[in-house]
Amino acid sequence: MRSLWTPSLVFGGAIFLRVVLFCYGLFQDAYSPLKYTDIDYFVFTDAARYVARGRSPYDRETYRYTPLLAWLLIPTTWSGGAWFSFGKGVFATADILTGWLLVLILRSQTGGNMSLKNSLRFASIWLLNPMVATISTRGSSEGLLGVMVISLLWAIINRHIKLAGVLLGLAVHFKIYPFIYAPAILLYLSSDPAATKGASTMFAKYIAPVFSNDNIAMTISSLVTFAGLNLAMYMLYGYSFLQHTYLHHVTRIDHRHNFSPYNILLYLSSSSPTATNTFHFESIAFVPQLLLSAVLIPLVLAKRDLPGTMLAQTFAFVALNKVCTSQYFIWFLMLVPIYLPDSSLLSKPRLGITAGALWVGAQALWLWQGYELEFLGRSTFVPGLWGSGLAFYAVNMWILGIIVGDIGGKPMSAGSAYRLRDEKLVAQRSKG
């Protein structure tokens, strides 16, 4: 009997799933008052229309993204109704590319040298996931970020350091949060055994490796890319670029469709009159979030397992974010296929099923309260929305603890990236 886990069937199924959802979306948009297309897609395409006319994408209210996205979607402004969906096709294609990169990583040493069959099975968590396919075919751009992040990981484990730096700079320019990966990557790259061999002082053993040639190349290439893109955008669009792409997110107040435990506080802040002497907690809500995701987790885990560390960082970042929506789950879901094979969530089925059920159940509880508020007009702010938000937060923290425990239980990588380098050198010499 032919195996179901072949590239043609898995990738063919992934493409078919997105084509079906795309066509269904066209039907729903045409005949239902409840539209399938994400409201953000209309923001993207409106901004692209402004750019096509020689204006700023920030002339479109609520456009909070890099101009690169509006430039990419200029074809949506071309004549002919079919071109309007061009962006959805781009985002769905990005999903497929992300899945292909996941297969490559799973088959590498970092991914456990998996067989093609098993790598396709785990990559299907992303490729055949209806949630992932729905988000991209509705017009969310998260699929583009998925390609950037997984390409970054692929470049690191294959020792393409300068390329990795360019990808990191591009990803941070595109969406701020990937900067949290920088400390983990630098610590991972500093785990070269040769760099600490014979070290007699604490500085030589722990500090000097951080300033390795690879880390310097990674830092310079990422900073040049990030600074170059930002400078170019600033020269074109001025302060509006900085305000809407970056600064807005520091003081952002978004209390609608928000799973965050900050939800009710954001609602109260949005309804209070503006005052210069009023303390706005949303401006410092990122402090515990960044302390955990960008400092503590990399310090403890980065030298043990880079993909797992990136998953833990992203999961913590999303769970502690003052704005937490379903599309943000894509940020960590893309890393789950690499973590899951050696996880306790898989080796202990009861634990995995319980974690999945609680995670979905807590969301369902929040959505039920949100439905009663927005569609039935019942005031469910407290204890309904607030309590369900706290429940979801508690479940997330419990799952994060499982992830951190799994990664922390692994031995130090002892320079796995460098073992790959050495294996390549040996192979090249043997051929010579």
Side-chain angles (χ1 to χ4, degrees):
M1 181 178 177
R2 185 184 178 187
S3 173
L4 296 176
W5 305 106
T6 63
S8 58
L9 288 178
V10 171
F11 284 95
I15 294 171
F16 178 75
L17 173 62
R18 284 158 179 79
V19 170
V20 169
L21 289 172
F22 173 78
C23 293
Y24 169 76
L26 294 177
F27 175 82
Q28 182 173 327
D29 284 345
Y31 295 101
S32 172
L34 182 62
K35 302 303 179 184
Y36 181 84
T37 299
D38 195 317
I39 187 63
D40 284 344
Y41 190 70
F42 293 104
V43 175
F44 301 159
T45 54
D46 286 348
R49 191 171 297 109
Y50 281 118
V51 169
R53 295 172 181 170
R55 296 173 59 183
S56 168
Y58 303 107
D59 288 343
R60 204 304 184 181
E61 293 183 6
T62 73
Y63 185 78
R64 315 292 187 190
Y65 313 90
T66 169
L68 293 180
L69 180 58
W71 293 1
L72 178 65
L73 298 185
I74 284 179
T76 62
T77 68
W78 296 348
S79 60
W83 281 111
F84 178 75
S85 300
F86 170 80
K88 296 180 182 180
V90 171
F91 303 151
T93 302
D95 281 353
I96 303 300
L97 290 175
T98 301
W100 174 66
L101 288 166
L102 284 171
V103 172
L104 295 181
I105 292 173
L106 288 166
R107 300 201 68 195
S108 70
Q109 183 183 33
T110 299
N113 295 314
M114 244 182 227
S115 66
L116 178 60
K117 178 181 177 180
N118 285 336
S119 65
L120 288 168
R121 181 178 296 167
F122 282 101
S124 295
I125 296 172
W126 172 269
L127 286 167
L128 301 180
N129 192 312
M131 175 184 173
V132 174
T134 299
I135 286 176
S136 62
T137 54
R138 290 188 67 213
S140 174
S141 64
E142 304 305 327
L144 292 177
L145 192 65
V147 170
M148 296 177 197
V149 171
I150 300 302
S151 295
L152 166 64
L153 179 57
W154 174 87
I156 288 293
I157 66 176
N158 284 281
R159 306 284 300 137
H160 302 303
I161 304 301
K162 293 179 181 178
L163 173 61
V166 171
L167 290 169
L168 179 60
L170 175 61
V172 177
H173 171 80
F174 193 86
K175 186 87 72 169
I176 304 173
Y177 92 87
F179 84 89
I180 64 175
Y181 301 138
I185 291 171
L186 294 178
L187 287 169
Y188 177 77
L189 291 177
S190 67
S191 62
D192 185 0
T196 56
K197 186 177 181 180
S200 58
T201 65
M202 183 173 295
F203 177 85
K205 188 173 183 179
Y206 296 105
I207 306 300
V210 177
F211 299 94
S212 65
N213 290 336
D214 283 340
N215 278 357
I216 292 173
M218 178 76 190
T219 302
I220 292 176
S221 57
S222 60
L223 288 178
V224 168
T225 302
F226 179 71
L229 287 171
N230 286 345
L231 179 60
M233 297 302 111
Y234 182 80
M235 291 176 66
L236 287 171
Y237 302 111
Y239 182 76
S240 294
F241 159 69
L242 294 178
Q243 173 60 36
H244 294 290
T245 305
Y246 299 117
L247 302 179
H248 162 77
H249 298 282
V250 177
T251 57
R252 177 184 181 185
I253 297 178
D254 187 351
H255 59 85
R256 299 178 68 84
H257 313 111
N258 183 2
F259 293 107
S260 169
Y262 293 120
N263 183 37
I264 301 302
L265 290 175
L266 289 174
Y267 177 80
L268 295 174
S269 294
S270 68
S271 61
S272 63
T274 303
T276 56
N277 60 348
T278 301
F279 174 74
H280 297 283
F281 86 95
E282 64 273 5
S283 299
I284 63 167
F286 63 87
V287 174
Q289 176 190 30
L290 296 185
L291 179 63
L292 182 60
S293 64
V295 179
L296 298 180
I297 289 177
L299 283 174
V300 174
L301 303 180
K303 293 187 178 183
R304 299 178 184 275
D305 179 359
L306 180 60
T309 301
M310 291 171 65
L311 171 63
Q313 288 179 278
T314 315
F315 198 92
F317 186 92
V318 172
L320 290 170
N321 202 27
K322 63 183 178 183
V323 178
C324 179
T325 63
S326 297
Q327 68 185 35
Y328 293 175
F329 301 157
I330 298 296
W331 297 355
F332 60 76
L333 188 59
M334 68 182 79
L335 294 162
V336 169
I338 309 172
Y339 155 78
L340 200 58
D342 297 324
S343 71
S344 58
L345 295 176
L346 195 61
S347 62
K348 301 176 182 178
R350 183 175 297 179
L351 176 65
I353 293 172
T354 301
L358 289 175
W359 192 71
V360 173
Q363 291 179 66
L365 178 62
W366 190 98
L367 291 170
W368 174 47
Q369 298 297 320
Y371 170 79
E372 289 200 330
L373 173 65
E374 295 196 13
F375 290 91
L376 303 182
R378 299 172 183 168
S379 179
T380 59
F381 289 106
V382 179
L385 281 174
W386 182 65
S388 57
L390 290 178
F392 187 52
Y393 172 79
V395 171
N396 280 328
M397 290 299 99
W398 176 60
I399 294 176
L400 178 61
I402 295 173
I403 296 172
V404 170
D406 286 344
I407 305 304
K410 293 184 176 183
M412 288 291 185
S413 63
S416 58
Y418 293 89
R419 287 200 302 270
L420 179 60
R421 172 200 63 189
D422 296 338
E423 289 171 2
K424 288 182 177 179
L425 290 174
V426 170
Q428 289 172 0
R429 289 170 182 170
S430 64
K431 289 180 181 179

